[in-house]
Amino acid sequence: MNLAIIKYNAGNIQSVLNALDRLGYNAIVTDERDKILGADKVIFPGVGEASSAMKSLQDNGLDSIIKELKQPVLGICVGMQLLCQHSEENDIDCLGIVPVKVRKFQALEGLKVPQVGWNNIYNLKSALFKDVDNNSFVYNVHSYYAEDSAYTIASCDYGITYAAAVQKDNFYGVQFHTEKSARTGDKIIQNFLNL
Amino acid sequence: MLTRRIIPCLDIKDGRTVKGTNFVNLRDAGDPVELAANYALQGADELVFLDITATVEKRKTLAELVKRIAHTINIPFTVGGGIKTVEDVQVLLQSGADKISINTAAFHNPGIISGIANMAGSQCVVLAIDTRKEDDGEWYVYLNGGRTKTDMLCYDWASKAVDLGAGEILLTSMNHDGTKQGFALDITKRLSESLPVPVIASGGGGTMEHFADVFIKAKADAALAASVFHFKEIEIPDLKEYLREQNIPVRI
């Protein structure tokens, strides 16, 4: 399988490579148009701040390349948020592929922001969660979340109910760090690779 | 629901795990990668690797070790011990560490906290504080593995560090560490309730009840321990089952 990881200035790409390696897959890390468009599957990771990540995509022309993709694409964490419409993080327009807004968690009583740790996901839809048990735990580190919508394929609660994963057509996004989510995370990556 | 985390800590010397009590009578306890993988299988939520290697050249083996850990372990892990510069941090993060724990160096040079946070995000900055309650009833910050007292109060240093970009606080009570008489509930509670970031309680965990207490009474977000796990006085699956019975949310 020809796997491409999008290379831009936002990321702990190494942890995604390590997870793929554990599952027995190699991937190329690239910002080249032909290699991304020619891949069987594309992974779009991201950590850090959304607006600088978005700017890095735009500076390298990657925003238009991502929108052209027809093969399965998996956005992880900030990668998922960038697939959405708009983020409250520095009030930026994202790629607009999944028409959902990204908002900041409100620091309610007893609720720390960012959310750090393991939380359970439920209402699992889509082949991405094939054989993943309802209420499985995944590892999260984030202050912003995608609003619940018709594109939600996994829900999670942290003060409010939000989209732990979204899907529109060939674009999939997970808020949690599937590459750090123990066996559940490995299973989700394997399911993506099996799509 | 967000769960409370159980974090085993592994002491590393020259690339090997060592076990001992208060850094004395150290003995080789095997390959850290194998031990870590076993903890991950048992249900540890995260791991902390604390490098206690003295010499600079031997510390290079740490980056190699971190690479091996990152290739094997599918849960988050923190690396700490002797980190002095943003460059040290960069090497470890590039090797695959998810978080970096800093202690003495951050106290002497608080700018390293914002330096790491700006480079890689607050989520990877764990500020470790060794603290001791003195006769005046106040908790003071200690440096250099607990050998050097400062005049800084624990709470003041923790909140300053959070302002600078620390994403989590790893709080070790020197009064409790090694005693197995329970965690320091008062200072843990103070920090957990007033800081906007997670607090990892460390030092004193000896029984499963102690873990329940630090989560329920002190509102800790996570609890760290070393010897009770290494010497199998507490098995992680048993601990998590017990905590669940106490209605504490845990990942099982």
Side-chain angles (χ1 to χ4, degrees), chain A residues 14-15 18-19 22 118 178-183 186, chain B residues 10 31-41 44-49 65-78 96 98:
Chain A
Q14 192 57 45
S15 66
N18 288 341
R22 284 196 299 273
W118 298 81
T178 187
E179 77 282 10
K180 287 285 166 183
S181 292
R183 273 173 290 186
D186 289 342
Chain B
L10 289 83
D31 177 17
V33 181
E34 279 174 34
L35 283 166
N38 193 34
Y39 279 133
L41 267 180
D45 296 305
E46 265 180 72
L47 296 166
V48 170
F49 297 87
L65 174 64
V66 168
K67 279 186 191 167
R68 286 179 55 221
I69 295 165
H71 270 98
T72 313
I73 305 297
N74 58 10
I75 59 173
F77 69 95
T78 301
D98 298 294

Side-chain angles (χ1 to χ4, degrees), chain A residues 12 14-15 18 21-22 47 112-113 115-120 137 139 141 157-158 179-183 186, chain B residues 1-3 5 45-46 70-76 94 98-99 123 192 195-198 221 250-251:
Chain A
N12 194 355
Q14 192 57 45
S15 66
N18 288 341
D21 185 53
R22 284 196 299 273
V47 294
K112 291 178 181 179
V113 177
Q115 170 177 224
V116 179
W118 298 81
N119 203 332
N120 58 307
F137 286 98
Y139 186 76
V141 183
D157 295 340
Y158 193 63
E179 77 282 10
K180 287 285 166 183
S181 292
R183 273 173 290 186
D186 289 342
Chain B
M1 189 178 218
L2 187 69
T3 59
R5 289 171 278 156
D45 296 305
E46 265 180 72
H71 270 98
T72 313
I73 305 297
N74 58 10
I75 59 173
Q94 280 165 6
D98 298 294
K99 308 180 190 184
Q123 83 288 337
S192 295
L195 296 177
V197 303
D221 298 277
V250 285
R251 176 180 73 106

